[in-house]
Amino acid sequence: MVKFIADSSCDKISFEGVNFESVPLTIYTDEKSYLDDDKIDVHDMLDYLSNYHARSYTACPSADQWLTAFGDADEIYVVTLTSGLSGTYNSACVAKDMFLQDHPDAKIHVIDSLSTGPEMHLIVEKLIELKNEGNSFEDTVAKITEYYKTTRLFFSFFSLHNFAQNGRVSKVVASAIGILNIRVLGTADEEGKVGVIAKCKGEKKMLSSLMAEIEKAGYKGGKFRISHVENEPLSQKVCELIKEKYPNADTLYYPAKGLCSYYAERNGIIIGFEC
Ligand code: X90
């Protein structure tokens, strides 16, 4: 049995007709926690956090959570959040070693996306496609390894507060964002960390910088995915701009789940595409 698994930063609970499972991260304050599973109420979490002024943080899945998801599958593909910012990849690798001790004939491949959200979505979509084409485990691993060198991730956020309070970007980088209608345009860099490209004043400036970056990255009209934190209008606008320039582009947008919503914060959008 083939199984596809991603942590919840992939922003998907299911892929239609596919044996897929999402493994949740958790968002915490000292008072409350939100497990990022199919029952999470993201809107409530965002409201709660905007009124909560003490420390909040997140935690990656435990090896046990991964093991439970592996279940009794014998060909397993796992896609994780970047190891540059989270222990998620590491805990999945620990679980893999434990699983193989008990299931020596199983095949399991863990992919460090060096990214998150929509870029992970693209990797899962590609894995499903490769298996549907009848590729062996070995060929699927070889092909997916090439594939995700050609995908990119960008984002536009109004705040980097939660990144800064968790030490995942420096306070200097985060400063001046969150005031005066400034948005930060950034990317997942080569080490799978947050790369800030520009601080843009206003949506128009952000959109023109974003479109320039997408072109510079080598986008040619392939798959284009956006996960957004309660910002459907902006997602729609970006998809329209993409379609104007690349009429055959395969675009899709959808709401982010808990983990990405926590870091991207309200109105943030995260964009993944094929180059
Ligand atoms: O607690 C943990 O182990 C989770 C830490 C997660 C940190 C990163 C989450 C990113 C969420 C923002 C996307 C833009 C930055 C991408 C850089 C790779 C969404």
Side-chain angles (χ1 to χ4, degrees), residues 18-35:
V18 174
N19 188 18
F20 172 83
E21 187 166 335
S22 170
V23 173
L25 286 93
T26 311
I27 299 95
Y28 289 93
T29 68
D30 290 336
E31 290 175 350
K32 208 170 168 169
S33 68
Y34 289 86
L35 183 67

Side-chain angles (χ1 to χ4, degrees), residues 25 58-60 82 85-86 116 153 155 157 163 168 188 192 263 270:
L25 286 93
T58 57
C60 66
T82 173
L85 296 172
S86 171
T116 186
L153 187 95
F155 62 80
F157 295 166
F163 270 105
R168 286 182 167 94
Y263 284 100
I270 314 171

